[in-house]
DNA sequence: GTATTTTGTCATGTT
DNA sequence: CGAACATGACAAAAT
């Protein structure tokens, strides 16, 4: 059951009203409806009057809904609901919404469409309510509606105080609406007869509202709601809920709540919403479900690592708001003061707060629908290492059950953390190494938490941290505290640990660096077992070998560095030799050129017997050892037959 | 989670 | 021959 990314996720306008309602309905549908019905719910989403696309005037028929294809499509979809076999029961609120949606616009079209949908429902034996039977304005005209209005005017203060109050109020409103609908329905019963099924549904709704109100006081709001959601098996109920929720949010917006009562983090959302959709009052939505996950998430953020966290300013009101909600419920789960729990919670905060708020709502609503504790579900998202919700779930259960036994606090967290497991592994045994340490910490912190008992939500498992302490410091202290059990042993080398285990009365340094004579005399002077002597010799051997290895590596490194230096020197030398070679080549070229010029100069001065100039191409100069120079034909020179020039010319 | 570096250790050879 | 040392190889820890 995974909430897919919806149409609103990418936009700047976050319609929480629709978001929350649809998220819940999707959960419900996924749980209870056949798949086509859930898909149909998806199809119905765009029809939401508060959707940004038509949010400019959600209930203005002339702008958004009068003659709108959405309305016609809605009628088509209503027919499809029935065609899918979903026992859709168009109760008065659905009809009321339809009528209300088109009341200011094309009433005829609305009635026509409504008649189409309703008649289809009637044809199936469903309860087809008259179009005007459930008109909210008519409902409000009733005495009960008047009371509702009065309550709405009188209750904002209570709504600001806690989210549970808002929920209970909402439930009261729903109940009263249901009762109001009942009144109208009873009139309809006389004419058309109300199905017992619809009655049971309404009774179920009443029960739900009855159980919800005290539920939060008892700290089991999620459980009660879960039960209700799980017991919902009638799909028509949810389809009606869809329409009801799509339509009722603007009507039931809690006008008494000002934006100041909304945390800044949500005010920003509200501001963006208000900027583009003036008719959407998000107060109701915000006070409805968001606070549930805020209650679940914000309290632990007191210890957030990042002081610049964007929610830091919003925490305090929620701490007070939600502590009532969770404190009683959370106490059984509080006895998990494990480091890893804290880490998980904190990292989970980071994760969760960087996550789209829709996921929170999804979590929360999933929890409502599936029976998971919100914390439990959130932990599923908290654990970055976990790829299995099952394992987390089991871990959670383990921690709860074991912590209830009030034994060593570490017991409850055994299943939580691979880190802790590894730590325990390194310790040999956490409880074995420093149980006193752990219990001492718990005892010393108990007073602190008694002070915070009514303020802190213990659910977050971070109660063992002192607020205000930066998490980085706390983490380091935590790791030090944990490793403190180990430090005495863990900082020792293996040989030192072995020597300590065998109670060898010498230090490793002594054993290793002692001269051989002293070493032998030391062994002879002390009565040592063979095991001890063997270990001492091993320690000495390993210690010396360790030093030797270090020296060897150092030496090797030096050799490498020297070789690198040699390479550099040789490269420099090579470059110098190359330059020298180039200079020599240049000198040779110059000399060749001069020789060539001289050659031709000599031939230019030579003449043969007839007084003609000697062609240098046919003759060459031959230098003899005695210093004489002969003019030799080239063919004789090349053939190796060195003969004196027959002409015996001499250089002038 | 992987790749690289550092470190400790062992086996073996040399001095 | 034994001790000390040197060094390659390997694995574990650290980065």
């Amino acid at each position: 059951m995974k909430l897919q990314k919806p149409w609103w996720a990418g936009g700047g306008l976050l319609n929480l009203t629709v978001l929350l309602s649809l998220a819940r309905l999707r959960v419900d549908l996924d749980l209870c409806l056949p798949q086509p019905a859930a898909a149909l719910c998806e199809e119905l989403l765009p029809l939401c009057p508060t959707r940004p696309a038509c949010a400019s005037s959600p209930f203005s028929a002339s702008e958004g809904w009068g003659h709108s294809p959405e309305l016609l499509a809605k009628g088509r979809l209503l027919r499809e609901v029935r065609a899918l076999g979903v026992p859709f029961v168009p109760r008065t609120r659905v009809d009321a919404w339809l009528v209300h949606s088109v009341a200011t616009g094309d009433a005829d079209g609305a009635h026509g469409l409504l008649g189409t949908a309703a008649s289809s429902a009637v044809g199936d034996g469903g309860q087809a309510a008259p179009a005007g039977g459930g008109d909210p304005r008519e409902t409000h005209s009733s005495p009960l509606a008047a009371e509702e209005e009065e309550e709405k005017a009188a209750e904002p203060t209570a709504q600001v105080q806690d989210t549970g109050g808002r929920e209970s109020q909402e439930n009261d409103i729903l109940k009263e609406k249901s009762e109001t609908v009942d009144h109208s329905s009873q009139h309809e019963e006389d004419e058309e007869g109300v199905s017992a099924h619809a009655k049971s549904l309404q009774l179920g709704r009443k029960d739900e509202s009855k159980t919800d109100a005290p539920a939060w006081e008892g700290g089991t709001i999620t459980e009660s709601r879960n039960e209700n959601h799980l017991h919902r098996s009638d799909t028509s109920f949810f389809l009606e809920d869809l329409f009801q929720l799509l339509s009722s949010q603007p009507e039931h917006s809690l006008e008494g709540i000002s934006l100041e009562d909304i945390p800044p983090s949500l005010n920003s959302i509200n501001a963006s919403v208000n900027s583009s959709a003036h008719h959407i009052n998000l107060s109701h939505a915000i006070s409805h479900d968001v606070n549930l996950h805020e209650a679940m998430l914000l309290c632990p953020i007191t210890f957030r690592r990042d002081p610049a966290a964007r929610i830091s300013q919003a925490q305090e009101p929620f701490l007070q708001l939600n502590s009532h909600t969770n404190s009683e419920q959370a106490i059984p789960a509080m006895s998990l003061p494990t480091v890893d729990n804290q880490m998980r919670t904190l990292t989970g905060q980071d994760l969760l707060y960087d996550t789209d708020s829709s996921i929170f709502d999804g979590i929360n609503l999933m929890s409502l629908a599936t029976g998971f504790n919100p914390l439990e579900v959130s932990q599923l998202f908290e654990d970055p290492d976990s790829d299995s919700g099952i394992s987390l779930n089991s871990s959670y259960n383990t921690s709860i059950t074991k912590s209830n036994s009030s034994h060593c606090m570490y017991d409850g967290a055994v299943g939580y953390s691979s880190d802790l497991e590894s730590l325990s592994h390194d310790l040999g045994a956490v409880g074995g190494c420093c149980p006193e340490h752990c219990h001492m910490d718990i005892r010393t912190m108990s007073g602190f938490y008694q002070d915070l008992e009514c303020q802190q939500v213990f659910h977050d498992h971070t109660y063992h941290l002192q607020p205000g302490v930066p998490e980085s410091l706390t983490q380091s202290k935590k790791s030090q505290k944990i490793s403190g059990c180990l430090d005495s042993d863990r900082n020792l080398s293996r040989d030192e640990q072995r020597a300590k285990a065998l109670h060898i009365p010498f230090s490793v340094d002594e054993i290793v660096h002692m001269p051989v004579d002293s070493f032998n005399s030391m062994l002879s002077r002390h009565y040592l077992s063979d095991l001890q002597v063997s270990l001492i010799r091993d320690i000495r051997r390993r210690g010396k070998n360790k030093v030797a290895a270090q020296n060897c590596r150092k030496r090797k490194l030096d050799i490498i560095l020297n070789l690198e230096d040699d390479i550099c020197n040789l490269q420099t030398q090579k470059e110098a030799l190359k330059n020298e070679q180039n200079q020599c080549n240049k000198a040779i070229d110059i000399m060749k050129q001069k020789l060539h010029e001289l050659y031709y100069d000599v031939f230019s001065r030579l003449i043969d017997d007839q007084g003609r100039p000697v062609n240098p191409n046919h003759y060459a100069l031959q230098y003899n050892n005695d210093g004489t120079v002969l003019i030799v034909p080239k063919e004789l020179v090349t053939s190796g037959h060195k003969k004196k020039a027959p002409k015996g010319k001499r250089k002038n």
Side-chain angles (χ1 to χ4, degrees):
Chain A
M1 181 169 54
K2 191 175 183 178
L3 292 178
Q4 298 173 352
K5 190 171 187 176
W7 48 265
W8 42 262
L13 182 63
L14 182 61
N15 191 328
L16 287 177
T17 304
V18 181
L19 161 66
L20 297 172
S21 301
L22 294 183
R24 170 183 295 172
L25 288 168
R26 291 179 64 171
V27 170
D28 290 339
L29 287 170
D30 286 340
L31 283 177
C32 307
L33 288 187
Q35 187 57 33
L40 182 60
C41 182
E42 287 289 341
E43 205 171 352
L44 284 170
L45 297 185
L47 300 178
C48 170
T50 53
R51 188 190 176 188
C54 52
S56 59
S57 181
F59 284 89
S60 172
S62 59
E63 293 180 24
W65 290 85
H67 299 289
S68 65
E70 287 87 353
L71 197 60
L72 297 173
K74 183 174 184 298
R76 179 180 61 84
L77 292 170
L78 288 173
R79 288 193 299 274
E80 290 180 3
V81 168
R82 196 178 57 80
L84 287 169
V86 177
F88 170 63
V89 180
R91 292 203 333 234
T92 54
R93 278 188 293 174
V94 177
D95 303 335
W97 179 73
L98 285 169
V99 173
H100 180 75
S101 300
V102 299
T104 56
D106 185 5
D108 292 339
H111 280 292
L113 183 136
L114 183 65
T116 304
S119 61
S120 302
V122 170
D124 264 4
Q127 178 195 3
D135 191 326
R137 286 168 298 185
E138 294 182 14
T139 306
H140 287 173
S141 64
S142 68
L144 282 172
E147 290 181 11
E148 175 185 338
E149 290 291 339
E150 292 176 2
E151 288 184 6
K152 287 174 68 176
E155 285 183 358
T157 304
Q159 291 161 1
V160 173
Q161 288 177 355
D162 58 72
T163 57
R166 295 191 192 109
E167 271 207 2
S168 61
Q169 186 216 4
E170 178 195 347
N171 292 327
D172 291 338
I173 292 172
L174 288 175
K175 188 169 67 176
E176 289 186 6
K177 280 185 69 74
S178 298
E179 291 171 358
T180 306
V181 169
D182 288 346
H183 284 295
S184 58
S185 300
Q186 286 173 357
H187 292 292
E188 297 159 12
E189 274 182 323
D190 297 336
E191 299 175 4
E192 302 175 10
V194 177
S195 67
H197 181 67
K199 278 185 178 179
S200 64
L201 285 176
Q202 292 171 356
L203 287 174
R205 180 176 294 273
K206 287 181 180 179
D207 292 340
E208 178 188 9
S209 60
K210 285 176 182 177
T211 53
D212 279 354
W216 79 271
E217 298 173 359
T220 56
I221 184 169
T222 55
E223 294 176 3
S224 62
R225 297 192 66 156
N226 292 339
E227 289 175 0
N228 285 328
H229 279 264
L230 290 174
H231 292 161
R232 289 176 177 180
S233 58
D234 192 309
T235 55
S236 68
F237 177 77
F238 301 112
L239 285 174
E240 180 183 351
D241 251 0
L242 169 65
F243 295 124
Q244 189 272 329
L245 284 167
L246 291 180
S247 62
S248 64
Q249 298 292 347
E251 291 182 351
H252 298 295
S253 60
L254 301 181
E255 299 173 357
I257 298 178
S258 64
L259 286 180
E260 288 77 14
D261 296 326
I262 301 168
S265 59
L266 298 177
N267 270 339
S268 60
I269 299 172
N270 235 359
S272 62
V273 171
N274 288 334
S275 62
S276 55
H278 304 285
H279 296 276
I280 301 172
N281 188 337
L282 290 178
S283 303
H284 181 75
I286 290 170
S287 64
H288 180 211
D289 269 337
V290 174
N291 279 348
L292 283 176
H293 81 68
E294 294 289 350
M296 185 174 59
L297 300 172
L298 282 179
C299 292
I301 301 171
T302 308
F303 310 115
R304 276 181 67 88
R305 180 188 317 138
D306 185 6
R310 56 183 178 271
I311 39 70
S312 58
Q313 297 172 353
Q315 298 167 4
E316 300 306 325
F318 280 103
L319 278 174
Q320 296 175 356
L321 282 174
N322 301 300
S323 59
H324 309 291
T325 307
N326 290 335
S327 58
E328 294 180 14
Q329 177 186 359
I331 284 175
M334 64 178 279
S335 51
L336 295 169
T338 63
V339 170
D340 194 64
N341 284 340
Q342 178 216 351
M343 290 174 62
R344 284 171 188 280
T345 306
L346 291 169
T347 54
Q349 297 306 320
D350 297 337
L351 283 174
L352 284 167
Y353 248 91
D354 290 333
T355 310
D356 195 302
S357 60
S358 62
I359 297 178
F360 302 143
D361 296 327
I363 294 169
N364 215 3
L365 294 165
M366 283 167 59
S367 68
L368 294 177
T370 62
F372 281 110
N373 188 304
L375 173 66
E376 186 177 355
V377 180
S378 66
Q379 283 177 340
L380 190 141
F381 287 81
E382 280 180 22
D383 190 355
D385 299 329
S386 173
D387 53 355
S388 167
I390 295 174
S391 62
L392 251 178
N393 188 24
S394 60
S395 300
Y396 178 77
N397 291 335
T398 302
S399 62
I400 293 296
T401 53
K402 292 193 175 182
S403 63
N404 283 339
S405 65
S406 302
H407 287 307
C408 178
M409 303 305 183
Y410 277 99
D411 292 345
V414 167
Y416 257 94
S417 165
S418 59
D419 296 334
L420 192 63
E421 285 177 358
S422 61
L423 195 59
S424 304
H425 179 71
D426 291 337
L427 264 170
V430 172
C433 175
C434 56
E436 313 88 7
H437 212 108
C438 310
H439 288 297
M440 183 190 68
D441 286 338
I442 294 161
R443 284 195 301 268
T444 53
M445 285 188 293
S446 62
F448 167 71
Y449 286 112
Q450 285 172 358
D451 295 337
L452 292 180
E453 198 171 36
C454 298
Q455 303 173 17
Q456 266 294 349
V457 176
F458 295 96
H459 236 56
D460 59 9
H461 300 172
T462 60
Y463 52 88
H464 56 293
L465 285 178
Q466 296 184 6
V469 177
E471 193 196 31
S472 57
L473 290 177
T474 313
Q475 295 279 3
S476 62
K477 285 185 178 179
K478 166 188 60 189
S479 58
Q480 285 178 3
K481 186 178 75 174
I482 293 301
S483 62
C485 304
L486 306 167
D487 277 346
S488 59
D489 287 340
R490 208 178 182 182
N491 288 337
L492 299 177
S493 66
R494 280 185 283 180
D495 280 339
E496 287 171 332
Q497 293 179 24
R498 294 188 190 111
K500 187 178 180 180
L502 286 183
H503 304 287
I504 291 174
F506 318 114
S507 70
V508 171
D509 283 343
E510 288 173 345
I511 295 171
V512 172
H513 298 108
M514 192 179 294
V516 179
D517 295 339
S518 302
F519 178 72
N520 290 329
S521 63
M522 179 186 74
L523 291 182
S524 60
R525 274 188 280 114
H526 293 80
Y527 174 77
L528 297 170
S529 65
D530 292 342
L531 193 62
Q532 284 176 317
V533 172
S534 176
L535 178 61
I536 287 172
R537 292 190 179 279
D538 283 344
I539 287 172
R540 184 176 174 86
R541 178 178 50 80
R542 279 194 291 262
K544 287 195 170 297
N545 187 247
K546 183 167 73 178
V547 175
Q550 290 170 350
N551 292 333
C552 180
R553 282 161 182 154
K554 184 180 178 180
R555 201 178 304 118
K556 189 186 289 183
L557 189 62
D558 289 339
I559 291 172
I560 291 172
L561 293 176
N562 289 334
L563 288 174
E564 287 178 349
D565 289 343
D566 290 345
I567 289 172
C568 289
N569 293 333
L570 289 173
Q571 284 178 343
T572 303
Q573 190 175 355
K574 182 181 176 182
E575 291 298 321
L577 291 173
K578 275 186 177 179
N579 292 334
E580 188 178 356
Q581 184 184 24
N582 289 334
Q583 291 175 357
C584 291
N585 289 335
K586 285 179 182 177
I588 290 171
D589 289 341
I590 291 170
M591 292 183 68
K592 281 183 179 178
Q593 182 64 27
K594 286 183 179 179
L595 178 63
H596 185 73
E597 290 172 356
L598 180 62
Y599 203 85
Y600 276 86
D601 184 49
V602 169
F603 273 95
S604 66
R605 300 182 186 195
L606 292 177
I607 57 173
D608 59 5
D609 295 336
Q610 290 81 24
R612 293 174 298 185
V614 178
N615 190 348
N617 294 326
H618 298 158
Y619 296 93
L621 298 176
Q622 182 174 349
Y623 302 90
N624 294 325
N625 293 332
D626 57 359
T628 60
V629 176
L630 299 176
I631 298 174
V632 182
K634 279 194 174 178
E635 56 268 21
L636 295 178
V637 175
T638 56
S639 63
H641 302 288
K642 297 180 181 179
K643 297 178 181 177
K644 288 186 179 179
K647 296 182 180 178
K649 303 295 180 182
R650 284 186 181 270
K651 186 179 178 181
N652 293 336

